[in-house]
Amino acid sequence: MGMGNHGIRLNGHKNTVDCKPVAMPVPAKVRIPLALLGANTSTFLVQKGDEVAVGQPVATQGQGIGVPVYASVSGKVAGIETVRLASGAIVDAVVIESDGRQTPWEGIKPPVVEDLKSFLEAVRQSGVVGLGGAGFPTWVKLNAEVEYLIINGSECEPYCTADYIALRDFTADVVEGVRLVKEYGRIPKVIIGVKHPPQGIEEAFKAIPGAEIKHLQEYYPVGAERMLIKETTGRVIPGRKLPKDVGCIVLNVNTAAYLARYLRTGMPLVSRTVTVDGSAVNTPSVITAPIGTPVGDIFEAAGGFKCEPAKILAGGPMMGVCLPNLDFPLLWQNGSFLALDAKDARVPDSTACIRCGRCVDHCPMNLMAFQIGKAYEARDLDTLKKIRADLCIECGCCAYVCPAKRDMVTANKLAKRYMADEARKEANK
């Protein structure tokens, strides 16, 4: 299935692009979920009443592809609660009441890395997962022989600026992370994909032999893996294949920066920098917060709300998910939180499909979005397979351009889940 540069042009709303990252006050408590990808095989290493320090392991990596989980604040374990993730999955979370001191754990020490095997083990122990949004464990991704390492700094979602700020303010960490991945993974070429590279970035990357900066086109979703690979290398990922199948690994700039920090200091991933913005926010800001911090505290650190927020989003307005309340914990892969006022949050009424074909014209994956919803309503599995509904990347271009304002993204997500459930039933027969 070929891909043209479909997609759409969006107003950037990059209001926080000149902000410096600010560390927020230590929250009173954090809730750190065990499982990121839904499946929960790790076990707790702490129990109620235990004293913990920053960077101390609180849960094992479990079986499969998981990573260890670490305390993001120092204080006392208040117990175990369940948390509903944005995906709907309900997982266990360790609740820590902070003592406000942020004492580092005495077991923190930089890992010893000598080859690819010890490097991958260090990446796993760092707790780093894809910080661009997917939250997929990075060590699994890096375990592949490829020709290209592609660094994703495109940040094509409106409002989001965490990647740009990493490139601008933590340039040395990003460059070092990229160099380490290239060196240990023996990857010949590096391409850094950015739309508006901060000053001095070209110079900084010259330290890495075989690295080049590629100025990306101004369309959304140029930062989606498949689009980014096509833009930077000209290669097209077939159907259900992965980037490694076309000789590429894609890494977010923040992920690269965190890897460099862990190898240097031994402090695992316990905090992250997020964009806080939206029409209901007092002061659009860039804030560094401990993992597990309630979203409400993060908005508080940005001066609170200037009006009652009608909608809170984790992520950008295109692919972000609405949060049910302000208790939702900051997760590793969250790069931004938006609070929208009633005007911006209003969902338009949808009318009947007029078969104009705009959703098809703008779909970066060349799918027939209007057909996916119809086939899903009829639970027509054969048609869903035939029109490749499973290839939808949930970017939202179809709903954005639809004159009838139909919510095609939700229909597509449900169709994909239905297909996956049916495939599982078939496999378990």
Side-chain angles (χ1 to χ4, degrees):
M1 196 165 282
M3 290 183 298
N5 287 344
H6 293 335
I8 51 182
R9 279 182 168 257
L10 295 170
N11 183 336
H13 294 287
K14 305 283 187 182
N15 310 317
T16 54
V17 80
D18 295 325
C19 293
K20 285 280 176 212
V22 177
M24 68 172 274
V26 184
K29 73 171 186 183
V30 295
R31 290 185 302 158
I32 306 173
L34 273 202
L36 246 192
L37 300 161
N40 194 359
T41 64
S42 39
T43 46
F44 286 109
L45 299 167
V46 290
Q47 50 196 5
K48 192 173 175 172
D50 284 0
E51 294 281 340
V52 292
V54 179
Q56 180 175 337
V58 292
T60 62
Q61 62 196 28
Q63 295 139 18
I65 62 172
V67 295
V69 178
Y70 298 95
S72 60
V73 294
S74 57
K76 192 173 264 181
V77 176
I80 308 297
E81 281 178 17
T82 54
V83 172
R84 184 188 287 277
L85 299 179
S87 66
I90 294 176
V91 297
D92 288 332
V94 62
V95 183
I96 305 170
E97 284 170 355
S98 149
D99 60 14
R101 287 199 288 270
Q102 289 305 73
T103 315
W105 184 49
E106 74 270 359
I108 298 282
K109 58 175 191 294
V112 177
V113 174
E114 289 151 349
D115 52 15
L116 180 62
K117 188 168 178 277
S118 54
F119 177 66
L120 291 176
E121 184 52 31
V123 175
R124 185 173 197 172
Q125 294 310 316
S126 73
V128 168
V129 295
L131 301 180
F136 189 74
T138 303
W139 73 274
V140 181
K141 195 188 258 194
L142 297 184
N143 193 5
E145 264 188 55
V146 295
E147 191 183 338
Y148 285 103
L149 171 61
I150 297 168
I151 303 301
N152 193 348
S154 68
E155 207 154 37
C156 54
E157 272 262 25
Y159 294 99
C160 304
T161 55
D163 293 353
Y164 176 84
I165 282 161
L167 279 168
R168 185 192 69 201
D169 294 359
F170 309 120
T171 317
D173 286 344
V174 178
V175 172
E176 180 63 2
V178 172
R179 191 187 64 74
L180 290 162
V181 172
K182 179 183 193 294
E183 191 180 304
Y184 286 114
R186 298 205 175 107
I187 306 171
K189 298 178 194 147
V190 180
I191 302 178
I192 301 98
V194 273
K195 279 192 186 166
H196 306 287
Q199 239 180 327
I201 205 87
E202 314 251 354
E203 209 43 52
F205 276 107
K206 280 191 183 143
I208 304 174
E212 61 166 308
I213 290 198
K214 172 99 179 172
H215 292 250
L216 300 172
Q217 293 187 52
E218 277 290 340
Y219 73 90
Y220 169 88
V222 71
E225 255 181 1
R226 288 166 183 266
M227 316 306 133
L228 187 67
I229 287 171
K230 178 151 189 295
E231 280 278 305
T232 50
T233 67
R235 297 178 180 189
V236 174
I237 304 178
R240 291 192 184 87
K241 298 289 190 203
L242 295 168
K244 65 177 184 189
D245 296 316
V246 294
C248 301
I249 289 174
V250 177
L251 215 54
N252 173 271
V253 289
N254 268 296
T255 310
Y258 267 100
L259 286 181
R261 277 174 219 149
Y262 177 69
L263 290 191
R264 192 172 66 237
T265 64
M267 178 60 81
L269 178 54
V270 290
S271 69
R272 80 153 297 174
T273 300
V274 292
T275 305
V276 186
D277 203 346
S279 45
V281 170
N282 251 324
T283 321
S285 313
V286 176
I287 288 174
T288 303
I291 300 296
T293 299
V295 171
D297 292 10
I298 295 175
F299 281 113
E300 207 48 53
F305 301 117
K306 57 182 176 195
C307 62
E308 183 66 29
K311 197 164 272 185
I312 304 283
L313 288 176
M318 295 300 290
M319 289 185 74
V321 281
C322 295
L323 300 181
N325 54 46
L326 289 169
D327 287 339
F328 191 82
L330 165 67
L331 300 175
W332 301 266
Q333 77 272 40
N334 295 140
S336 58
F337 292 108
L338 305 181
L340 305 177
D341 62 19
K343 181 173 145 289
D344 283 355
R346 196 181 70 81
V347 176
D349 297 329
S350 66
T351 53
C353 169
I354 58 168
R355 303 186 77 78
C356 64
R358 277 190 208 174
C359 55
V360 182
D361 291 342
H362 290 276
C363 174
M365 296 300 293
N366 282 345
L367 303 176
M368 303 279 201
F370 66 95
Q371 281 186 337
I372 295 175
K374 213 165 147 187
Y376 171 67
E377 273 168 35
R379 299 295 187 276
D380 180 349
L381 191 61
D382 289 342
T383 300
L384 285 171
K385 283 181 181 167
K386 201 164 88 196
I387 60 180
R388 301 308 301 270
D390 56 319
L391 294 183
C392 165
I393 59 170
E394 302 173 19
C395 65
C397 289
C398 52
Y400 184 86
V401 298
C402 176
K405 303 286 179 252
R406 299 181 70 74
D407 183 4
M408 287 182 262
V409 188
T410 302
N412 294 3
K413 284 182 179 180
L414 289 168
K416 284 169 67 179
R417 195 169 280 191
Y418 168 65
M419 290 172 82
D421 288 347
E422 291 301 310
R424 223 177 337 241
K425 280 184 206 162
E426 194 58 43
N428 292 337
K429 266 184 187 169

